[in-house]
Amino acid sequence: MILFSEYTSPRLSYIIEILFPAGTICTNNKEDFIKYTGEKINYSNEKINDREIWVKPHLLLFEKNISSQQTEIFHWHDLPAFFKTGGAIPFDFLAASFYLITRYEEYLPFPPDEYGRYPHSASITFKNNFLQLPLIDLWLHEIFPQENKHSFSIIPTFDIDIAYKYADKPAVKKFAIAIKEFITGNWQSLSRRMNVRNGKAKDPFDQFDYIENLTRDFSLQPIYFFLLAGKNSRYDKNISPQKDGMKNLMKRIAVKNKMGIHPSWQSGDNKNLLKVEIEKLEKVNGKKVIRSRQHYIRMTMPHTFRRLIEYGITEDYSMGYGSINGFRASTSKSFFWYDLENEEKTNLQIFPFCYMDANSIYEQKQSPAETEIELAYYKNIITKSHGQLIGIWHNHFLSEEKEWLPWRKVFEDFIESCS
């Protein structure tokens, strides 16, 4: 493919590389453009010939500042679009894709949610009812139906916030809970606790063999993200990484699986803690940690990603919302993060997720049946756009306790449907 533009910029070069990773020739020479026999994009204000895809440029890709943009929505090929400019394609899909994938709007002032995060309700995608669309992928599928040859794939990922329900808890805490269960007459929980302690039963949250066997049966490669806060807090309730049971679990999983750090809530306030947590994981699994996903999806642009880069992270799986499912960056495909303030592409590869079990259960307040429909929708729309489905599950929502059995079944059925 060749793209003609009278001007160039870091933004234009970046979005071309992201949208067309197979390679695109960029030129400002009209004669070379006219002679080219392959696919052609004319990115200028004047039509050149009939053998081209003509896109009139929006100013965004040639600007050097960050400012509020006019994003009036219209529809093209039954898809939402914005940055209307005219041409054969009536909007600048390059600039619009750049706006969405860089999370441009998150660099502008916004009212934070209760956790201090960018709220999904402030996004152009939610306000205009296309959060559930991998819109960039669908635009490309419409414009270049023959160019999109990617096949559907799935990466199941697991956030290990609380590895065990009863095991490896501090003795004082276990005793206090047991006393409370005795006083309140919660005999079932007390019995379970004692059986786990005496080795007569498996901890309810210990579903790691189950996850391993199920994903292996369908030839999937899961990724596990471990929360390793040194001490518990309001939002960090993990088992201590100093416990032998926790160390053994991580060593066992590291043998056959990819692992990453799940930066604690506390590390968001003290970046030195992130370094400590990464070093803990590296010490246990004997490998350099290159993957991460933010706990509670707590992140701010550009600071969180810059910190990850500083500590050697090259893959991040946080691009989604911790309050609703959907496509935060309007794509299901991985891409390299663009630091908008510094106007540069980085080596941090972003892997967006579109589904998290906690969102469906607690935020969207869905039933298991409704979530089955939601997951089937994401699978179908990503298949149509030849993308990659990344979902987040938690081991403690997959237990065989009565209240979680329906959610365990949702997980099983979905994994089987993707085989």
Side-chain angles (χ1 to χ4, degrees):
M1 182 183 294
I2 191 169
L3 180 141
F4 171 80
S5 176
E6 295 175 296
Y7 311 100
T8 188
S9 73
R11 295 182 179 186
L12 177 59
S13 298
Y14 167 78
I15 199 61
I16 291 171
E17 183 178 344
I18 294 300
L19 299 186
F20 310 112
T24 297
I25 301 169
C26 297
T27 183
N28 61 0
N29 187 307
K30 276 189 182 180
E31 293 303 317
D32 289 344
F33 180 78
I34 293 170
K35 291 176 183 177
Y36 191 77
T37 57
E39 196 83 61
K40 300 195 286 191
I41 300 175
N42 172 14
Y43 193 58
S44 72
N45 288 316
E46 300 293 336
K47 181 178 178 180
I48 296 176
N49 62 30
D50 293 328
R51 292 185 55 255
E52 66 182 23
I53 295 172
W54 177 30
V55 181
K56 282 189 175 183
H58 185 277
L59 290 178
L60 182 70
L61 296 185
F62 302 107
E63 294 176 345
K64 296 181 180 179
N65 61 337
I66 303 172
S67 59
S68 181
Q69 301 289 327
Q70 294 295 320
T71 54
E72 184 178 349
I73 302 295
F74 68 101
H75 280 78
W76 170 79
H77 287 214
D78 295 325
L79 294 172
F82 58 99
F83 291 162
K84 181 183 284 189
T85 55
I89 306 296
F91 70 107
D92 186 344
F93 76 91
L94 297 174
S97 296
F98 180 87
Y99 183 86
L100 294 170
I101 211 166
T102 61
R103 304 306 306 126
Y104 190 102
E105 60 192 354
E106 296 190 34
Y107 288 80
L108 301 171
F110 60 85
D113 71 4
E114 62 180 307
Y115 300 106
R117 306 172 301 191
Y118 180 82
H120 72 264
S121 56
S123 69
I124 180 178
T125 58
F126 181 80
K127 289 179 178 178
N128 293 281
N129 301 310
F130 62 89
L131 175 59
Q132 279 71 43
L133 293 177
L135 189 58
I136 296 172
D137 307 342
L138 294 171
W139 283 339
L140 290 178
H141 181 66
E142 288 296 319
I143 299 170
F144 307 103
Q146 302 305 315
E147 297 295 327
N148 264 305
K149 299 293 185 180
H150 304 286
S151 59
F152 168 83
S153 62
I154 174 175
I155 301 178
T157 68
F158 301 89
D159 286 352
I160 314 304
D161 299 343
I162 311 173
Y164 303 116
K165 185 172 185 176
Y166 302 129
D168 276 343
K169 295 290 181 70
V172 173
K173 187 173 184 179
K174 286 193 288 188
F175 180 74
I177 294 174
I179 292 295
K180 181 179 180 181
E181 289 171 341
F182 179 81
I183 293 174
T184 58
N186 190 349
W187 308 116
Q188 186 179 46
S189 180
L190 182 60
S191 176
R192 286 177 182 167
R193 184 182 301 278
M194 296 307 296
N195 284 337
V196 170
R197 179 181 176 182
N198 296 329
K200 296 180 179 180
K202 192 175 183 179
D203 191 282
F205 292 175
D206 184 358
Q207 298 302 321
F208 304 104
D209 288 340
Y210 159 74
I211 294 170
E212 180 82 11
N213 293 334
L214 184 64
T215 54
R216 185 177 60 235
D217 286 346
F218 294 103
S219 301
L220 299 175
Q221 294 185 325
I223 305 175
Y224 298 81
F225 294 92
F226 280 89
L227 179 62
L228 300 179
K231 61 179 181 179
N232 281 183
S233 68
R234 180 179 180 183
Y235 299 117
D236 300 322
K237 302 185 183 300
N238 55 288
I239 304 295
S240 170
Q242 303 304 321
K243 293 287 186 179
D244 288 340
M246 193 67 177
K247 291 179 181 178
N248 291 335
L249 171 64
M250 290 188 286
K251 288 178 181 178
R252 176 161 59 91
I253 288 179
V255 172
K256 296 181 180 179
N257 302 283
K258 296 178 180 179
M259 294 171 61
I261 193 67
H262 198 35
S264 67
W265 179 277
Q266 296 164 78
S267 73
D269 299 319
N270 180 354
K271 76 172 189 176
N272 292 326
L273 291 178
L274 175 58
K275 184 175 185 291
V276 172
E277 292 168 14
I278 290 174
E279 289 174 346
K280 287 177 184 176
L281 185 56
E282 289 179 338
K283 184 176 180 180
V284 170
N285 68 15
K287 302 174 185 176
K288 181 173 174 55
V289 173
I290 63 168
R291 300 176 189 88
S292 71
R293 176 158 55 230
Q294 295 298 120
H295 187 38
Y296 274 80
I297 316 299
R298 186 190 187 193
M299 62 181 189
T300 56
M301 296 290 181
H303 313 293
T304 300
F305 288 160
R306 285 179 182 169
R307 184 182 303 131
L308 294 176
I309 292 171
E310 180 182 351
Y311 290 125
I313 299 297
T314 58
E315 296 181 10
D316 184 76
Y317 293 74
S318 308
M319 186 55 72
Y321 290 111
S323 51
I324 192 172
N325 290 328
F327 300 93
R328 184 169 182 165
S330 298
T331 182
S332 68
K333 300 171 185 175
S334 66
F335 57 92
F336 288 95
W337 178 58
Y338 188 87
D339 187 331
L340 199 55
E341 285 186 352
N342 289 334
E343 294 291 358
E344 64 179 6
K345 173 192 166 187
T346 71
N347 67 351
L348 178 64
Q349 192 170 8
I350 305 299
F351 291 80
F353 70 89
C354 65
Y355 170 81
M356 177 163 62
D357 53 8
N359 281 343
S360 293
I361 296 167
Y362 295 121
E363 303 295 335
Q364 299 170 198
K365 302 187 186 306
Q366 293 178 173
S367 67
E370 290 170 327
T371 298
E372 284 186 338
I373 294 171
E374 179 185 31
L375 280 166
Y377 165 79
Y378 286 128
K379 180 193 171 189
N380 290 337
I381 197 71
I382 290 174
T383 299
K384 178 181 178 181
S385 58
H386 310 286
Q388 184 174 68
L389 192 155
I390 298 178
I392 303 176
W393 287 269
H394 295 77
N395 58 295
H396 55 288
F397 294 155
L398 297 174
S399 82
E400 295 181 275
E401 293 178 302
K402 184 178 179 180
E403 64 181 304
W404 297 113
L405 279 175
W407 294 101
R408 182 182 174 100
K409 184 67 164 53
V410 169
F411 172 67
E412 289 178 359
D413 289 348
F414 177 68
I415 292 298
E416 184 175 358
S417 76
C418 293
S419 63

